[in-house]
Amino acid sequence: MNPLLLIIVPLVGAALAVAWPNNRTRPWLLPVVGFVHVGLTLWLFLDPPAVPPNAWLGFDPLARAVLPAVALLFLVCGAYGVAYLKVRSERPNRVFVALLLVVLGMLSAGHQARHLGLLWIATETVTLAAVPLLHFNGTPRAFEATWKYLLVGGTGIALSLLGSFALGYASLHGGGDGNLTFVALTGQGAGLSRPWVLTAWVLLLVGYGTKMGLAPMHTWKPDAYGEAPGIVGAILAGGVTTVAFTALLRVRAVVGAAGEGPIADRTLLVVGLFSMLVAALFLLGTRDFKRMLAYSSVEHMGILSIGAALGPAGVAAALFHVWTNGLTKGALFLSAGNLRRAAGSASMDDVRGMAVITPRSAAIFVAGMFAVTALPPFGPFFSELQLVRAALATGHGAATTMFLGCLLFAFFGLTRVVFGIVDGRPRPAVRAHGRRFVETAGVIVPPLVLLGFSLWLGLFTPTVLREAWLAAVAQLFPTP
Amino acid sequence: MSSGTLNLLIGLAMGLNLLALGSSRLPSLIRAVSLQGMVLGAMPLLMESKLDWRVGLVALATVVGKGVVIPTLLRRAMRAANIERELEPFIGFVPSLLLGAGGTIAAVALAQALPLLPEHAGSLLVPGAIASVLTGFILLIGRAKAISQVCGYLILENGIYLFGLLLIHATPLLVESGILLDLTVGVFVIGIIVDRIQRAFDSLDTRKLTTLRE
């Protein structure tokens, strides 16, 4: 089976969406393409193809370790999209559906990219394709958020390209032949020019870190997640950030092979802890429950970055966390989308008593909040536990203390906002607005399914998944 | 290739950076950016010893894209928005110029610190690239109008393009053209958003975009 199909199928779906005449039936393309995509991904997952070492693109162990999570998330979000776009039937959805599918195709390409330039092209196409998704609501606030996303994201695009060039020059200076596949770069190892490798690492960390939303490059995130539809937030937080994270892991492997691994790890640890700290502080201050999710996402990107800094065991934990965080965050974004529609506002100042107006969405939102703050037996608890173990085993006691402290403050911040909007007596205006929102199965089942995945990952982490994560670690840290 | 001509062109591009920083009117800023794009587009032709049709194509696409299409779009947006041509900076013109000049000197110093291949040793490519990136940042941060921020972004991109020329013999043109395409689409997307902001806010002054904050 050709892994290119993972890219071609969504892009064909996107072309179909453009040509599809009917605004009412077009959204069905999302779950249909998502279903085919998940099927293909699982097939490749269970029967991994041999990847030629020089291939620019391939379903290698790292892609195998994370891409299925993104595919599953997209399928569930696609099913939610049908119900969501039915509610929003007054807006034309041709561009929205087509670009969501382009995002899926380019995410598949980015996860499988084994070439520095190709990786950049795929990631940046995702960034650009997401722009019209962000301002789907067409409000001035949405355009403001989109502008900030473009300016900050565009600078991130530019810096990661500059970093890619610097890494290319490191290879050229070291006598390389300009082969920019990660295999060739890693193979050159200590032959890479050190000063250029370090320059490249800083630029790529800032560039792809912007895409991930690591502090202090996270400033686009609260605005974008706050104004975008819930389904877009879920895919951005679970898919686009993941592709940037795998990009950093691949680059980190090259930097490690060049002998600068300790410096790379130290920067990842500092940036990760700083992201968690910033996120925890803003979580204590924010009054908007969609922006709250953005800060929670910044926090979890920090966790991933810390995991990446802790060597093989930490990376395995981080890959586990990619799954648990992506799927749990998806449940939160989708249920938050329901609450936002029913309440007509996302601010704690206006919204109260959602447990009365939309009991099911509110229940999922509260459960999701507990899951994402690492309450057992949900998945994030186990991935974070594994990460803490890796940190203690590598002697990072102070970092672990700070990590746990930030988790605690984030918990305070999240519970403050979540119970603030769920409890209490709804205001008359919100009550009247909420009557127009019906909690159909279409908007309840998808977040519930994602929450189920989170629970399943926590309770019964499949052995085959653990093996996949370890295989990816073996790819990133080859034993000499 | 003649490195003397190439360095002359890079020097010209660096001069245009300073011109862009000192421009107090939007049309002259756009003109500086468009001129810089054309100068950059011609460079690959100078670097190749024999003329390859693919290099020619990339050069032509760059000259037309950076030098003609994008500036035309920006001018049209400027006219459609009917905005005042005078720029109101966050960072004044003299401080911007001083920052830019300081940045250029720092770029030359920084480039000395990085090891270069013998064939790039006498070239201004690296200092030119760093100086343009810094200029782009100053414009992005220091200007209030959306269109001048786009110009800043374009100069930033030009700096990266200059740096990319170091790799022109090594990397396949497929990657280069993909990158060129992405950047072009990026600017188009930015153009569309500028248009929407104009309609939604009736202004292109980004100081009005302050609803979203903590």
Side-chain angles (χ1 to χ4, degrees), chain A residues 111-473:
Chain A
H111 280 99
Q112 296 191 78
R114 295 163 59 78
H115 183 281
L116 201 57
L118 194 66
L119 175 69
W120 185 85
I121 292 173
T123 339
E124 305 325 334
T125 315
V126 169
T127 312
L128 294 176
V131 168
L133 302 178
L134 291 177
H135 64 70
F136 180 66
N137 286 325
T139 58
R141 287 168 64 97
F143 286 118
E144 180 181 338
T146 313
W147 180 249
K148 290 179 180 171
Y149 168 83
L150 258 178
L151 272 196
V152 180
T155 314
I157 290 179
L159 290 181
S160 50
L161 180 60
L162 194 58
S164 303
F165 283 156
L167 198 53
Y169 200 70
S171 158
L172 215 57
H173 191 269
D177 53 358
N179 184 348
L180 294 187
T181 56
F182 288 104
V183 174
L185 289 170
T186 315
Q188 212 179 338
L192 296 166
S193 161
R194 293 277 182 104
W196 284 106
V197 167
L198 288 180
T199 313
W201 170 248
V202 172
L203 291 169
L204 287 166
L205 181 64
V206 173
Y208 286 119
T210 308
K211 196 104 310 124
M212 258 177 96
L214 289 168
M217 295 85 78
H218 68 286
T219 45
W220 59 274
K221 234 175 180 178
D223 298 344
Y225 290 6
E227 300 310 315
I231 167 176
V232 176
I235 290 169
L236 282 179
V240 178
T241 54
T242 309
V243 76
F245 180 61
T246 50
L248 278 182
L249 284 181
R250 285 183 200 273
V251 174
R252 157 72 186 74
V254 173
V255 177
E260 298 290 5
I263 293 184
D265 286 349
R266 221 171 302 145
T267 46
L268 279 171
L269 188 68
V270 169
V271 168
L273 284 173
F274 184 66
S275 301
M276 287 190 75
L277 186 69
V278 167
L281 292 177
F282 275 98
L283 277 172
L284 288 171
T286 187
R287 302 193 65 74
D288 178 308
F289 62 84
K290 289 187 84 176
R291 292 172 74 85
M292 170 197 87
L293 292 183
Y295 288 118
S296 170
S297 176
V298 172
E299 182 205 352
H300 286 269
M301 291 307 119
I303 296 178
L304 290 183
S305 168
I306 293 171
L310 296 176
V315 172
L319 292 173
F320 187 6
H321 198 69
V322 164
W323 281 70
T324 57
N325 172 53
L327 296 172
T328 316
K329 213 36 87 40
L332 271 172
F333 270 105
L334 297 186
S335 53
N338 291 349
L339 296 180
R340 166 78 181 76
R341 276 221 82 61
S345 162
S347 169
M348 269 172 88
D349 302 326
D350 309 323
V351 184
R352 233 181 287 150
M354 292 313 287
V356 179
I357 298 171
T358 50
R360 295 186 193 91
S361 302
I364 296 172
F365 194 55
V366 171
M369 185 273 293
F370 278 120
V372 91
T373 50
L375 183 86
F378 287 102
F381 170 75
F382 293 94
S383 50
E384 285 172 27
L385 184 67
Q386 199 177 327
L387 201 140
V388 167
R389 274 201 195 138
L392 290 177
T394 44
H396 287 90
T400 312
T401 316
M402 198 174 155
F403 173 86
L404 293 174
C406 289
L407 282 186
L408 185 69
F409 280 114
F411 177 73
F412 290 150
L414 283 163
T415 42
R416 184 183 61 90
V417 180
V418 168
F419 288 113
I421 60 159
V422 167
D423 283 345
R425 255 149 62 99
R427 295 199 173 172
V430 172
R431 200 185 275 272
H433 198 274
R435 266 189 216 112
R436 273 176 285 162
F437 182 82
V438 190
E439 289 192 290
T440 53
V443 297
I444 293 300
V445 174
L448 210 55
V449 168
L450 288 174
L451 209 55
F453 273 130
S454 172
L455 201 59
W456 170 68
L457 277 173
L459 288 177
F460 318 99
T461 322
T463 327
V464 62
L465 268 181
R466 288 198 179 277
E467 282 166 9
W469 298 327
L470 290 178
V473 170

Side-chain angles (χ1 to χ4, degrees), chain A residues 144 154 158 169 196 286 291 295, chain B residues 115 117 120 153 160 209 211 214:
Chain A
E144 180 181 338
Y169 200 70
W196 284 106
T286 187
R291 292 172 74 85
Y295 288 118
Chain B
L117 285 175
H120 299 135
Y153 185 65
I160 294 167
L209 304 181
T211 327
E214 226 50 70

Side-chain angles (χ1 to χ4, degrees), chain B residues 33-117:
Chain B
V33 171
S34 113
L35 210 59
Q36 196 182 42
M38 287 198 217
V39 170
L40 258 53
M43 283 181 197
L45 296 175
L46 284 171
M47 295 187 74
E48 289 292 324
S49 41
K50 61 175 176 22
L51 220 51
D52 186 354
W53 65 272
R54 287 174 305 179
V55 175
L57 208 65
V58 169
L60 187 72
T62 315
V63 170
V64 173
K66 284 181 188 283
V68 181
V69 178
I70 292 171
T72 312
L73 278 174
L74 288 177
R75 283 199 193 97
R76 185 185 289 170
M78 184 180 77
R79 268 194 294 272
N82 199 17
I83 50 181
E84 290 169 42
R85 306 289 168 88
E86 309 291 331
L87 293 170
E88 304 141 77
F90 291 127
I91 303 175
F93 299 108
V94 176
S96 310
L97 266 175
L98 287 177
L99 272 175
T104 308
I105 295 166
V108 175
L110 201 64
Q112 302 288 322
L114 287 165
L116 288 177
L117 285 175

